Coordinates of all heavy atoms in Angstrom, one line a residue:
M1100 N -3.6 13.0 -19.1 CA -2.4 13.6 -18.6 C -1.6 12.8 -17.6 O -2.2 12.3 -16.7 CB -2.8 15.0 -18.0 CG -1.6 15.9 -17.7 SD -1.9 17.6 -17.7 CE -0.4 18.3 -17.1
N1101 N -0.3 12.8 -17.8 CA 0.4 11.9 -16.9 C 1.4 12.7 -16.1 O 2.4 13.2 -16.6 CB 1.2 10.9 -17.9 CG 1.9 9.9 -17.0 OD1 2.0 10.0 -15.8 ND2 2.4 8.8 -17.7
N1102 N 1.2 12.8 -14.8 CA 2.0 13.5 -13.9 C 2.9 12.6 -13.0 O 3.5 13.1 -12.1 CB 1.1 14.4 -12.9 CG 0.5 15.5 -13.7 OD1 1.2 16.2 -14.5 ND2 -0.7 15.9 -13.3
N1103 N 3.0 11.4 -13.5 CA 3.8 10.4 -12.7 C 5.3 10.7 -12.8 O 5.8 10.8 -13.9 CB 3.5 9.0 -13.1 CG 2.0 8.6 -12.9 OD1 1.4 9.2 -12.1 ND2 1.6 7.7 -13.7
K1104 N 5.9 10.9 -11.7 CA 7.4 11.2 -11.7 C 8.0 10.4 -10.5 O 7.4 10.2 -9.5 CB 7.5 12.8 -11.4 CG 7.1 13.6 -12.6 CD 7.4 15.1 -12.4 CE 7.1 15.9 -13.6 NZ 7.4 17.3 -13.4
C1105 N 9.3 10.2 -10.7 CA 10.1 9.6 -9.7 C 10.1 10.5 -8.5 O 10.3 11.7 -8.6 CB 11.5 9.4 -10.2 SG 12.7 8.8 -8.9
V1106 N 9.8 9.9 -7.3 CA 9.8 10.8 -6.1 C 11.2 11.3 -5.7 O 11.3 12.3 -5.0 CB 9.3 9.9 -4.9 CG1 7.8 9.6 -5.1 CG2 10.1 8.7 -4.6
I1107 N 12.2 10.7 -6.3 CA 13.6 11.2 -5.9 C 14.1 12.2 -6.9 O 14.5 13.3 -6.6 CB 14.5 10.0 -5.8 CG1 14.1 9.1 -4.6 CG2 16.0 10.5 -5.6 CD1 14.9 7.8 -4.5
C1108 N 14.0 11.8 -8.2 CA 14.6 12.7 -9.2 C 13.7 13.4 -10.2 O 14.1 14.1 -11.1 CB 15.7 11.9 -10.0 SG 14.9 10.6 -11.0
S1109 N 12.3 13.1 -10.1 CA 11.3 13.7 -10.9 C 11.4 13.3 -12.3 O 10.8 14.0 -13.1 CB 11.4 15.3 -10.7 OG 11.1 15.6 -9.4
T1110 N 12.2 12.3 -12.6 CA 12.1 11.8 -14.0 C 10.7 11.3 -14.3 O 10.1 10.7 -13.4 CB 13.2 10.6 -14.1 OG1 14.4 11.2 -14.0 CG2 13.0 9.9 -15.4
D1111 N 10.3 11.5 -15.5 CA 8.9 11.0 -15.8 C 9.0 9.8 -16.7 O 10.1 9.5 -17.2 CB 8.0 12.1 -16.3 CG 8.4 12.7 -17.6 OD1 9.0 11.9 -18.4 OD2 8.1 13.8 -17.9
S1112 N 7.9 9.2 -17.0 CA 7.9 8.0 -17.8 C 8.3 8.1 -19.2 O 8.4 7.2 -20.0 CB 6.6 7.2 -17.6 OG 5.5 8.0 -18.2
S1113 N 8.4 9.4 -19.7 CA 8.9 9.6 -21.1 C 10.4 9.5 -21.1 O 11.0 9.3 -22.2 CB 8.5 11.0 -21.6 OG 9.2 12.0 -20.9
Q1114 N 11.0 9.5 -19.9 CA 12.5 9.5 -19.9 C 13.1 8.2 -19.3 O 14.2 7.8 -19.7 CB 13.0 10.6 -19.0 CG 12.7 12.0 -19.4 CD 12.8 13.0 -18.3 OE1 12.0 13.2 -17.4 NE2 13.8 13.9 -18.5
A1115 N 12.3 7.5 -18.5 CA 12.8 6.2 -17.9 C 11.5 5.5 -17.5 O 10.5 6.0 -17.2 CB 13.7 6.5 -16.7
P1116 N 11.7 4.1 -17.4 CA 10.6 3.3 -16.8 C 10.3 3.7 -15.4 O 11.2 3.9 -14.6 CB 11.1 1.9 -16.9 CG 12.2 1.9 -17.8 CD 12.8 3.3 -17.7
L1117 N 9.1 3.8 -15.0 CA 8.7 4.2 -13.7 C 7.9 3.0 -13.0 O 7.1 2.4 -13.7 CB 7.8 5.4 -13.6 CG 8.4 6.7 -14.0 CD1 7.3 7.8 -13.9 CD2 9.5 7.1 -13.1
I1118 N 8.2 2.7 -11.8 CA 7.6 1.6 -11.0 C 6.6 2.3 -10.1 O 7.1 3.2 -9.3 CB 8.6 0.8 -10.3 CG1 9.7 0.2 -11.2 CG2 7.9 -0.4 -9.5 CD1 9.1 -0.7 -12.3
K1119 N 5.4 1.8 -10.0 CA 4.4 2.4 -9.0 C 4.5 1.6 -7.8 O 4.7 0.3 -7.8 CB 3.1 2.2 -9.6 CG 2.0 2.9 -8.8 CD 0.7 2.8 -9.5 CE 0.0 1.4 -9.4 NZ -1.3 1.3 -10.0
F1120 N 4.5 2.3 -6.7 CA 4.4 1.7 -5.3 C 3.4 2.4 -4.4 O 3.1 3.6 -4.7 CB 5.8 1.5 -4.7 CG 6.4 2.7 -4.3 CD1 6.3 3.2 -3.0 CD2 7.1 3.5 -5.2 CE1 7.0 4.4 -2.6 CE2 7.8 4.6 -4.9 CZ 7.7 5.1 -3.5
D1121 N 2.8 1.7 -3.5 CA 2.0 2.3 -2.5 C 2.7 2.4 -1.2 O 3.4 1.5 -0.8 CB 0.7 1.5 -2.3 CG -0.2 1.5 -3.5 OD1 0.1 2.2 -4.5 OD2 -1.2 0.8 -3.5
F1122 N 2.5 3.5 -0.5 CA 2.9 3.7 0.8 C 1.9 4.5 1.7 O 1.6 5.6 1.3 CB 4.3 4.4 0.8 CG 5.0 4.5 2.2 CD1 5.3 3.5 2.9 CD2 5.2 5.9 2.7 CE1 5.8 3.6 4.2 CE2 5.7 6.0 4.0 CZ 6.1 4.8 4.7
K1123 N 1.5 3.9 2.8 CA 0.5 4.5 3.6 C -0.8 4.9 2.8 O -1.3 6.0 3.0 CB 1.1 5.7 4.4 CG 2.2 5.3 5.4 CD 2.6 6.4 6.2 CE 3.7 6.0 7.2 NZ 3.2 5.1 8.2
G1124 N -1.1 4.1 1.9 CA -2.4 4.4 1.1 C -2.2 5.4 0.0 O -3.2 5.6 -0.7
K1125 N -1.0 5.9 -0.2 CA -0.8 6.8 -1.3 C 0.0 6.2 -2.4 O 0.8 5.3 -2.1 CB -0.1 8.1 -0.8 CG -0.9 9.0 0.0 CD -0.3 10.3 0.2 CE -1.2 11.3 0.9 NZ -0.5 12.6 1.1
E1126 N -0.2 6.6 -3.6 CA 0.5 6.0 -4.7 C 1.6 6.9 -5.1 O 1.6 8.1 -5.2 CB -0.5 6.0 -5.8 CG -0.3 4.8 -6.8 CD -1.5 4.7 -7.7 OE1 -1.5 5.5 -8.7 OE2 -2.3 3.8 -7.5
Y1127 N 2.8 6.3 -5.3 CA 4.0 7.0 -5.7 C 4.6 6.2 -6.9 O 4.3 5.1 -7.2 CB 5.0 7.1 -4.5 CG 4.5 7.8 -3.3 CD1 4.0 7.0 -2.3 CD2 4.5 9.2 -3.2 CE1 3.5 7.7 -1.1 CE2 4.1 9.8 -2.1 CZ 3.6 9.0 -1.1 OH 3.1 9.7 0.1
H1128 N 5.6 6.9 -7.5 CA 6.4 6.3 -8.6 C 7.9 6.5 -8.3 O 8.3 7.5 -7.7 CB 6.0 6.9 -9.9 CG 4.6 6.6 -10.3 ND1 3.5 7.2 -9.7 CD2 4.0 5.7 -11.1 CE1 2.4 6.8 -10.2 NE2 2.7 5.8 -11.1
I1129 N 8.6 5.6 -8.8 CA 10.1 5.7 -8.7 C 10.7 5.1 -10.0 O 10.2 4.1 -10.5 CB 10.6 4.9 -7.4 CG1 12.0 5.4 -7.1 CG2 10.4 3.5 -7.5 CD1 12.4 5.1 -5.6
C1130 N 11.8 5.8 -10.4 CA 12.4 5.3 -11.6 C 13.3 4.0 -11.3 O 13.7 3.8 -10.2 CB 13.2 6.4 -12.3 SG 14.7 6.8 -11.5
T1131 N 13.6 3.4 -12.4 CA 14.4 2.2 -12.2 C 15.8 2.5 -11.6 O 16.3 1.7 -10.8 CB 14.7 1.4 -13.5 OG1 15.1 2.4 -14.5 CG2 13.3 0.8 -14.0
Q1132 N 16.3 3.6 -11.9 CA 17.6 4.0 -11.3 C 17.6 4.1 -9.8 O 18.6 3.9 -9.1 CB 18.0 5.3 -11.9 CG 19.5 5.7 -11.6 CD 19.9 7.1 -12.2 OE1 19.1 7.6 -13.0 NE2 21.0 7.6 -11.8
H1133 N 16.4 4.5 -9.2 CA 16.3 4.7 -7.8 C 15.6 3.6 -7.0 O 15.4 3.7 -5.8 CB 15.6 6.0 -7.5 CG 16.5 7.2 -7.9 ND1 16.3 8.1 -8.9 CD2 17.7 7.6 -7.3 CE1 17.2 9.0 -8.9 NE2 18.2 8.7 -8.0
I1134 N 15.3 2.5 -7.7 CA 14.6 1.4 -7.0 C 15.6 0.9 -5.9 O 15.1 0.6 -4.8 CB 14.2 0.3 -8.0 CG1 13.0 0.7 -8.8 CG2 13.9 -1.0 -7.3 CD1 12.7 -0.2 -10.0
P1135 N 16.9 0.8 -6.2 CA 17.7 0.3 -5.1 C 17.7 1.2 -3.8 O 17.9 0.7 -2.7 CB 19.2 0.3 -5.7 CG 18.9 0.2 -7.2 CD 17.6 0.9 -7.4
V1136 N 17.5 2.5 -4.0 CA 17.4 3.3 -2.8 C 16.1 3.0 -2.0 O 16.1 2.9 -0.8 CB 17.3 4.8 -3.3 CG1 17.2 5.7 -2.1 CG2 18.6 5.2 -4.1
L1137 N 15.0 2.8 -2.8 CA 13.8 2.4 -2.1 C 13.9 1.1 -1.3 O 13.4 0.9 -0.2 CB 12.6 2.3 -3.2 CG 11.3 1.9 -2.6 CD1 10.7 3.0 -1.7 CD2 10.3 1.7 -3.8
I1138 N 14.6 0.1 -1.9 CA 14.8 -1.1 -1.3 C 15.8 -1.1 -0.1 O 15.5 -1.7 0.9 CB 15.3 -2.2 -2.4 CG1 14.2 -2.4 -3.5 CG2 15.7 -3.5 -1.7 CD1 14.7 -3.2 -4.6
H1139 N 16.9 -0.5 -0.3 CA 18.0 -0.6 0.7 C 18.2 0.6 1.6 O 18.8 0.5 2.7 CB 19.3 -0.8 -0.1 CG 19.4 -2.1 -0.9 ND1 19.2 -3.4 -0.3 CD2 19.4 -2.3 -2.2 CE1 19.3 -4.3 -1.3 NE2 19.4 -3.6 -2.5
K1140 N 17.6 1.7 1.1 CA 17.8 2.9 2.0 C 16.5 3.7 2.1 O 16.5 4.9 2.1 CB 18.9 3.9 1.3 CG 20.2 3.2 1.2 CD 21.2 4.1 0.4 CE 22.5 3.4 0.3 NZ 23.5 4.2 -0.6
A1141 N 15.4 2.9 2.3 CA 14.1 3.5 2.3 C 14.0 4.6 3.4 O 13.4 5.6 3.2 CB 13.1 2.5 2.6
N1142 N 14.7 4.4 4.6 CA 14.6 5.3 5.7 C 15.3 6.6 5.4 O 15.2 7.5 6.2 CB 15.0 4.7 7.0 CG 16.4 4.2 7.0 OD1 17.2 4.5 6.1 ND2 16.7 3.4 8.0
Q1143 N 16.0 6.7 4.3 CA 16.6 8.0 3.9 C 15.6 8.8 3.1 O 15.9 10.0 2.8 CB 17.9 7.8 3.1 CG 19.0 7.2 3.8 CD 20.2 7.0 3.0 OE1 20.3 7.5 1.9 NE2 21.3 6.4 3.5
L1144 N 14.4 8.3 2.8 CA 13.4 9.0 2.1 C 12.4 9.7 2.9 O 11.4 10.2 2.4 CB 12.7 8.0 1.1 CG 13.7 7.3 0.1 CD1 12.9 6.3 -0.7 CD2 14.4 8.3 -0.8
G1145 N 12.7 9.9 4.2 CA 11.7 10.5 5.1 C 11.3 11.9 4.7 O 10.3 12.4 5.0
D1146 N 12.3 12.6 4.1 CA 12.1 14.0 3.8 C 11.0 14.1 2.6 O 10.3 15.0 2.5 CB 13.4 14.7 3.2 CG 14.3 14.9 4.4 OD1 13.9 14.8 5.6 OD2 15.5 15.2 4.1
I1147 N 11.1 13.0 1.8 CA 10.2 13.0 0.6 C 8.8 12.3 1.0 O 7.7 12.8 0.6 CB 10.8 12.2 -0.6 CG1 12.2 12.9 -0.9 CG2 9.9 12.2 -1.8 CD1 13.0 12.0 -1.9
L1148 N 8.9 11.3 1.7 CA 7.7 10.5 2.0 C 7.7 10.4 3.6 O 8.3 9.5 4.2 CB 7.8 9.1 1.4 CG 8.1 9.0 -0.1 CD1 8.3 7.5 -0.5 CD2 7.0 9.7 -0.8
P1149 N 6.9 11.2 4.2 CA 6.7 11.2 5.6 C 6.4 9.8 6.2 O 5.4 9.2 5.6 CB 5.6 12.2 5.9 CG 5.7 13.2 4.7 CD 6.1 12.3 3.6
G1150 N 7.1 9.3 7.1 CA 6.9 8.0 7.7 C 7.9 7.0 7.2 O 8.1 6.0 7.8
M1151 N 8.5 7.3 6.0 CA 9.5 6.4 5.4 C 10.7 6.2 6.3 O 11.4 5.2 6.3 CB 9.8 6.9 4.0 CG 10.5 5.8 3.2 SD 9.5 4.4 2.7 CE 9.2 4.9 1.0
E1152 N 11.0 7.3 7.1 CA 12.2 7.2 8.0 C 12.1 6.1 9.0 O 13.1 5.7 9.6 CB 12.4 8.6 8.7 CG 11.4 9.0 9.7 CD 10.2 9.7 9.1 OE1 10.0 9.7 7.8 OE2 9.5 10.4 9.8
N1153 N 10.9 5.6 9.2 CA 10.7 4.5 10.2 C 10.7 3.2 9.6 O 10.6 2.2 10.3 CB 9.4 4.7 10.9 CG 9.4 6.1 11.7 OD1 10.3 6.5 12.3 ND2 8.2 6.8 11.7
V1154 N 10.8 3.1 8.3 CA 10.8 1.8 7.6 C 12.2 1.1 7.8 O 13.2 1.7 7.8 CB 10.6 2.0 6.1 CG1 10.8 0.7 5.3 CG2 9.2 2.6 5.8
E1155 N 12.0 -0.1 8.2 CA 13.3 -0.9 8.3 C 13.8 -1.4 7.0 O 13.0 -1.9 6.2 CB 12.9 -2.2 9.2 CG 12.8 -1.8 10.7 CD 12.7 -3.1 11.5 OE1 13.3 -4.1 11.2 OE2 12.1 -2.9 12.6
N1156 N 15.1 -1.2 6.8 CA 15.6 -1.6 5.5 C 15.9 -3.1 5.6 O 16.3 -3.7 6.5 CB 16.9 -0.8 5.3 CG 16.6 0.6 5.0 OD1 15.7 0.9 4.3 ND2 17.4 1.5 5.7
G1157 N 15.7 -3.7 4.3 CA 16.0 -5.2 4.2 C 17.3 -5.6 4.2 O 18.3 -4.9 4.3
Ligands
LIG1349 ZN1 14.7 8.6 -10.0

């Protein structure tokens, strides 16, 4: 059973490619559409991923 979903839009891998990433020892997935958010606006994801608000954007 595959419960992997994009942390932002909940798209699963049947709908779009998902990229796996680790944060604070936990495993998350993000769809290709939202990878730029993770890269450039990571600190806007604090509501979804506690601690992410403290990440410095590149
Ligand atoms: Zn997404």
Side-chain angles (χ1 to χ4, degrees):
M1100 188 150 173
N1101 187 349
N1102 287 323
N1103 299 336
K1104 291 183 176 179
C1105 172
V1106 293
I1107 297 175
C1108 67
S1109 296
T1110 290
D1111 67 29
S1112 62
S1113 71
Q1114 299 167 286
L1117 293 179
I1118 305 297
K1119 185 175 78 175
F1120 66 98
D1121 289 358
F1122 182 62
K1123 294 187 180 294
K1125 287 189 174 181
E1126 211 171 78
Y1127 300 96
H1128 294 76
I1129 195 161
C1130 74
T1131 50
Q1132 187 180 349
H1133 286 116
I1134 288 172
V1136 179
L1137 182 64
I1138 295 172
H1139 298 296
K1140 299 176 181 175
N1142 58 15
Q1143 294 184 5
L1144 301 178
D1146 289 345
I1147 303 168
L1148 305 177
M1151 194 69 104
E1152 67 271 19
N1153 299 320
V1154 171
E1155 287 189 26
N1156 293 315

